[in-house]
Structures are given as C-alpha cells and as structure tokens.
Amino acid sequence: MKLKPSTLIVISFFLVILAGGILLSLPISSASGLPTNFLDAYFTSNSATCVTGLVVLDTGTYFSLFGLIVLIFLMQVGGLGYMTISVFAMLILRKKLFVSERIMMQEAMNIYSGKEVTEILKKIFGIVFIIEAIGFLALFMRWAPEFGVGKGLLYAVFHAISAFNNAGFALPPNNASLMPYVTDIIINLTITTLIILGGIGFLVITDVLKGRKLSLHSKIVLATTALLLVIGTASILFLEYSNPRTLGPLSFGNKLLASYFQAVTPRTAGFNTIDTGALFAPTLVLIMVLMFIGASPGGTGGGVKTSTFAVMMGTIRATLKGFKDTIMFRRRVPHETVRRAFTITTLSMFVIVAAVLILDYFEHFSLIECAFEVFSAFGTVGLSMGITPKLSSIGKIIIIVVMFIGRVGPLALALTFLIQQKEPKVEYPKEYISIG
C-alpha cells in the first residue's frame, strides 16, 4: 500500500523519537551510569524531537555528554525535519530526487512549487549553519570566561542549537532554564535573535535575502511577528511590573529586557529568565495565547502559525466590514487558504480542550496549571509552571501525545484532509442557514 507523504512524515518523526528514547534510556546516556526509565527517556526524546523543551529530568545534571549529544541531534533533526535532512543527504550523494520525494518535501516545508525543493534545501542548510555558527560564537565568548573552554563550548553549542530550533532545552541545573542570566544582555539578545530567526521560517529568510519585493507570505509573517513581539513585551511589562517574584526587583532596563525575552520565548522556544510559576494569572493567559499562535510555517517552531492567525484576523475584519474577500497587503487571499486557517485552528482547539480535561481528571494540579502545560505542549513551547516532573505516568503519556500532535498534527491534518479534492460531479442546490 502506497502511503501518503503526510503519513510518511508522521511515521518518520515517530521513528526518530523512538530511536532517541532507546538511546537516552541506555546507561551511557546518564551521568550516573544507570539506565533511565524508558517512559522518562521517551518523554525527553519526544520533547527534543518535537522541539518542545518540557522536561521530567534535570537536563544539565542528569545526562552524560553522550546523552547531551543525542539531545543536540534530536533537536536539530526535530527543528529541520527528518525529511529535510534525508533529502539533503541524497543531494550531497548526488542522488536524483523522485517526484514523490519532491512532493513530500514540498508539503513538509510549505513550499509552493516542487521545482523549488532542491534550490531551497541548499539555501536552508547554508542559512542554518551560518546562523547557528554566529550564535555559537557569541555564546561561547560569553560562557568561556565563566566556565572554561570545555564547558563553555558545550554550553554554547547546546544552547545555540536549542534556541535556533526553538527547542527550549537548557543546561543550568535544577531546571532553572536561563533564570540565572535574566539581566545578561548578551545571552538574552543572542538567544532571542536565534529564536526569532528560527521561528519566522526559512522561506521568509531566503525571501528577505533576495533583496527584491517580498511575497505576501513574508509580509504577513514579518508584520505579525513584529506586532506580537511589541504587544507581548508591552503587556508583560505592564502586568508584571510590580510583581515581587518576577519583574518587581529589577531595574526598568532589566524589566524591559526580561519582558522582551518572555514575549519572544512563548513563540515556541520555551526558555525563561523569570519564574513562570510566579506569573500573575492574566500574564499566564497572555502567554497561552502566544503559545497557541506559535511560530511561522516552514520554521523550526510549532503552534497554529502566525500566518494562520493573521488570515483569521483578516477574515474577521473583512466580515465585519462586509467585504466578500479577505484582503491583506492589497492582495486577495484565496478562499481555500481561509478555510484551512479556520479548520486548523478549530481542530487544534479541540485537541487542546480534550487534553486539558483529561489531564485535569487524572492529575491533582489546578485547571490553569493543566491548561498551561497542554498549551505549552501543543505549541511545542516548553514553558511550565513547574508541574512537568511531577506528572504521573498517565499525565506524561498525555503530554507526549499532545507534543507529537502539536509538532506534526496541524500539518498532517491539513495534508490529509485539506488537500484540494476533485469537485463532486453533482452540484447540490444552495440554501442559507442562520449564523450567530
């Protein structure tokens, strides 16, 4: 039986996660030299491959160097996608891509034309290498004086790859993420820049580098990303300004820096420089919204995507103004795109609501803690109010499933159910129904 490209993509992610779980469960992967419970190892592998960052083990102290190398590999594969790396390897080996492989890559990377696959793949790997290398150098120069060359090298490589791939894994002990560096401008700006560049999508980066007129997709992604960053930063600064457990003790400049970092990281990255569990309830709701929106198509992050959110907002605006079509940047958005945006968002909400209810039923945490965990898992973000290591086996399985759906679900659902089919030969009569 010939499988659909979308099905093969889902299977490839599952196999990578399974292999990673097996490797992380081996004694060689733990610092203690003891085998790791397979569920915890699989959870970690799933979190790394789905570039989420939720952890049940203390990454910086639990894993050996071998285990950390496995995590680095899983984050890189998860961010770029198994199919992307596989096809690039075929290009290096000078093997010709079959039509089916081009279609698979076209769908996995949201490329409009199958003819662009080879050219864009080469650009993607060049971009990834350059950006991660620059991020590594900046972080190494900062951490080498603090930790020495060896540990500074490990910290720089690990966090550069984790940040660019929006994975959210960090090495400071006690699952502190980057809270020890809340006022460090070099680390804050380097990490956030890597997150943003990884999240906006490779197609947008290549479009910008061409230096010509931007496509509608790139305009929407860049405008939406900038708007969400400004609104997120201002809102967090306002809401948490006097919170004694978060921004309160900081100077105004550091409050602004921390607010900016916290506005960037819910866009599927998962790092934090202030205690997420200490945030006020309105801030948590804001962050859940940002996590749900997520990054952009063709990037390393999750969520329903910025372009999906923008199309929905544009359609609502058009409806309220009585317009027939959704117009954005003086371009008409196809009705098929609008339907996909609303369908993906609706299906995503169904998954989240079901997961929150199930998790709340089996766990003893508050509803907002369960909701925050599920939004974080679905958006492949990795932020947590501190409940991840305390989850029961059932809770871990629920979050594993949500992370997996969040990484491949909206894409797989779109490819499986929303690919344009042949119009039915029979045209049924039209009849209006009342809405609203």
Side-chain angles (χ1 to χ4, degrees):
M1 182 178 68
K2 189 175 181 179
L3 298 176
K4 292 182 179 180
S6 57
T7 305
L8 291 174
I9 292 170
V10 172
I11 292 174
S12 69
F13 264 99
F14 173 75
L15 292 177
V16 170
I17 292 168
L18 180 61
I22 293 172
L23 288 174
L24 291 177
S25 68
L26 299 176
I28 192 176
S29 292
S30 68
S32 64
L34 299 174
T36 302
N37 175 275
F38 183 73
L39 180 59
D40 290 341
Y42 187 87
F43 186 102
T44 305
S45 175
N46 190 88
S47 184
T49 308
C50 295
V51 290
T52 305
L54 290 173
V55 294
V56 291
L57 303 169
D58 188 1
T59 307
T61 59
Y62 184 87
F63 292 103
S64 64
L65 178 60
F66 177 81
L68 294 178
I69 291 173
V70 171
L71 284 177
I72 289 173
F73 175 78
L74 292 174
M75 290 187 293
Q76 191 74 78
V77 171
L80 293 178
Y82 172 76
M83 291 306 306
T84 307
I85 293 176
S86 299
V87 173
F88 185 72
M90 294 177 67
L91 292 176
I92 292 177
L93 297 174
R94 300 184 181 278
K95 291 188 176 181
K96 185 177 180 180
L97 296 182
F98 294 106
V99 174
S100 60
E101 291 163 341
R102 289 181 179 272
I103 293 174
M104 215 168 345
M105 285 309 306
Q106 179 184 346
E107 295 180 347
M109 297 165 56
N110 290 279
I111 297 174
Y112 313 122
S113 169
K115 297 179 180 178
E116 302 176 37
V117 169
T118 303
E119 179 184 350
I120 290 180
L121 264 179
K122 293 176 181 178
K123 290 182 180 178
I124 283 176
F125 275 83
I127 290 169
V128 170
F129 175 79
I130 292 172
I131 294 176
E132 288 185 347
I134 294 173
F136 158 75
L137 289 174
L139 294 174
F140 178 71
M141 291 175 66
R142 167 60 185 83
W143 271 319
E146 179 180 349
F147 295 126
V149 175
K151 191 173 180 180
L153 180 68
L154 175 63
Y155 260 58
V157 170
F158 190 93
H159 289 92
I161 292 176
S162 181
F164 181 75
N165 290 285
N166 283 217
F169 279 81
L171 295 180
N174 301 317
N175 289 328
S177 190
L178 296 176
M179 286 195 289
Y181 305 100
V182 61
T183 61
D184 193 307
I185 192 168
I186 295 177
I187 291 177
N188 276 258
L189 294 184
T190 302
I191 294 294
T192 52
T193 301
L194 288 169
I195 291 169
I196 293 170
L197 291 176
I200 62 174
F202 303 113
L203 298 181
V204 175
I205 296 176
T206 55
D207 202 14
V208 171
L209 292 177
K210 287 178 182 178
R212 290 178 285 183
K213 187 176 181 181
L214 295 177
S215 66
L216 176 61
H217 170 80
S218 296
K219 289 179 181 178
I220 290 174
V221 166
L222 292 174
T224 307
T225 298
L227 183 63
L228 290 174
L229 288 177
V230 171
I231 292 175
T233 301
S235 299
I236 293 172
L237 179 64
F238 173 76
L239 294 170
E240 295 293 321
Y241 194 89
S242 58
N243 187 340
R245 299 174 60 194
T246 56
L247 300 184
L250 304 176
S251 66
F252 179 78
N254 287 330
K255 287 180 196 287
L256 187 60
L257 181 64
S259 298
Y260 169 70
F261 191 95
Q262 263 57 232
V264 172
T265 196
R267 311 295 307 292
T268 84
F271 297 102
N272 59 287
T273 56
I274 57 178
D275 185 2
T276 305
L279 295 171
F280 290 142
T283 312
L284 293 172
V285 173
L286 170 67
I287 289 178
M288 281 191 275
V289 172
L290 293 175
M291 291 192 294
F292 182 71
I293 296 172
S296 303
T300 59
V304 297
K305 309 303 187 205
T306 53
S307 54
T308 302
F309 173 74
V311 168
M312 288 181 60
M313 293 299 101
T315 303
I316 292 172
R317 175 179 175 273
T319 302
L320 293 176
K321 289 197 169 189
F323 297 161
K324 179 182 177 181
D325 297 310
T326 300
I327 308 297
M328 305 182 75
F329 292 97
R330 298 187 177 184
R331 291 292 186 273
R332 181 167 54 88
V333 179
H335 290 296
E336 294 81 4
T337 302
V338 173
R339 291 176 62 185
R340 290 181 185 182
F342 277 91
T343 303
I344 290 173
T345 303
T346 303
L347 290 173
S348 299
M349 284 306 304
F350 281 154
V351 171
I352 288 174
V353 170
V356 170
L357 294 176
I358 296 172
L359 189 65
D360 185 61
Y361 178 81
F362 285 105
E363 301 292 337
H364 61 277
F365 305 111
S366 67
L367 182 61
I368 193 169
E369 287 176 322
C370 292
F372 194 89
E373 196 80 2
V374 170
F375 269 95
S376 180
F378 183 83
T380 68
V381 179
L383 292 175
S384 175
M385 295 180 68
I387 73 171
T388 314
K390 304 173 187 176
L391 291 172
S392 64
S393 296
I394 295 177
K396 291 175 184 177
I397 292 172
I398 293 169
I399 296 300
I400 285 173
V401 172
V402 174
M403 283 192 287
F404 188 80
I405 294 175
R407 184 65 181 96
V408 301
L411 173 64
L413 288 171
L415 295 177
T416 303
F417 299 111
L418 303 180
I419 293 177
Q420 187 175 0
Q421 304 293 331
K422 291 182 179 179
E423 291 290 335
K425 295 181 179 179
V426 178
E427 185 173 344
Y428 296 97
K430 183 189 295 184
E431 184 172 346
Y432 291 97
I433 59 175
S434 297
I435 296 293

